């Protein structure tokens, strides 16, 4: 698995360096950011679920929450609350960064 992942990364890296003048880097970085957020969300859910399975933390099941193992979503309060907080932090930080960019672009630079 590691060799396959390394090979794919090497190919992508070579293609990025070779054709970087054609690559819209901002689009690539936005996509990578979304992927990192999704992985953080899933890892958070899986980690808490693992602690629940090992009986290290309690499990309070909520019937109305979905169970999507592939996304790291488990129907418990202990996984739902931290994941909800993560989504809120991501949304707030995104708004803060966008607000900061608009403040920078609206400033008049003396000549």
């Amino acid at each position: 698995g590691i060799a396959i992942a390394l090979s794919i990364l090497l190919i992508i890296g070579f293609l990025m360096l070779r054709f970087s003048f054609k690559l819209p880097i901002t689009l690539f970085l936005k996509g990578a950011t979304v992927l990192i957020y999704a992985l953080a969300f899933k890892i958070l859910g899986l980690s808490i679920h693992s602690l629940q399975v090992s009986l290290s933390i309690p499990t309070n099941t909520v019937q109305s929450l979905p169970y999507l193992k592939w996304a790291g979503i488990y129907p418990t309060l202990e996984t739902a609350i931290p994941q909800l907080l993560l989504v809120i932090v991501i949304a707030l930080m995104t708004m803060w960064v966008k607000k900061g960019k608009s403040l920078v672009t609206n400033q008049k630079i003396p000549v």
Side-chain angles (χ1 to χ4, degrees):
I2 293 174
I4 293 171
L6 185 58
S7 300
I8 291 170
L9 286 174
L10 287 172
I11 292 169
I12 291 172
F14 172 76
L15 292 173
M16 285 180 65
L17 289 173
R18 179 84 169 119
F19 302 107
S20 63
F21 62 93
K22 296 179 183 178
L23 181 68
I25 197 70
T26 55
L27 181 62
F28 172 76
L29 291 175
K30 286 179 183 180
T33 301
V34 169
L35 180 62
I36 290 169
Y37 290 156
L39 288 173
F41 183 87
K42 180 177 180 174
I43 290 170
L44 183 61
L46 289 173
S47 300
I48 294 171
H49 180 68
S50 294
L51 289 172
Q52 290 173 326
V53 169
S54 69
L55 302 176
S56 298
I57 61 173
T59 302
N60 296 304
T61 305
V62 180
Q63 297 298 328
S64 60
L65 291 176
Y67 173 72
L68 301 170
K69 186 177 179 179
W70 62 269
I73 298 174
Y74 298 93
T76 66
L77 285 176
E78 293 79 13
T79 56
I81 292 172
Q83 286 178 320
L84 178 62
L85 290 174
L86 176 66
V87 170
I88 290 170
V89 167
I90 290 170
L92 290 173
M93 294 303 292
T94 301
M95 290 187 304
W96 183 53
V97 167
K98 287 188 182 230
K99 183 178 179 183
K101 283 184 180 179
S102 67
L103 289 175
V104 170
T105 57
N106 289 335
Q107 289 181 351
K108 293 184 180 179
I109 300 172
V111 181

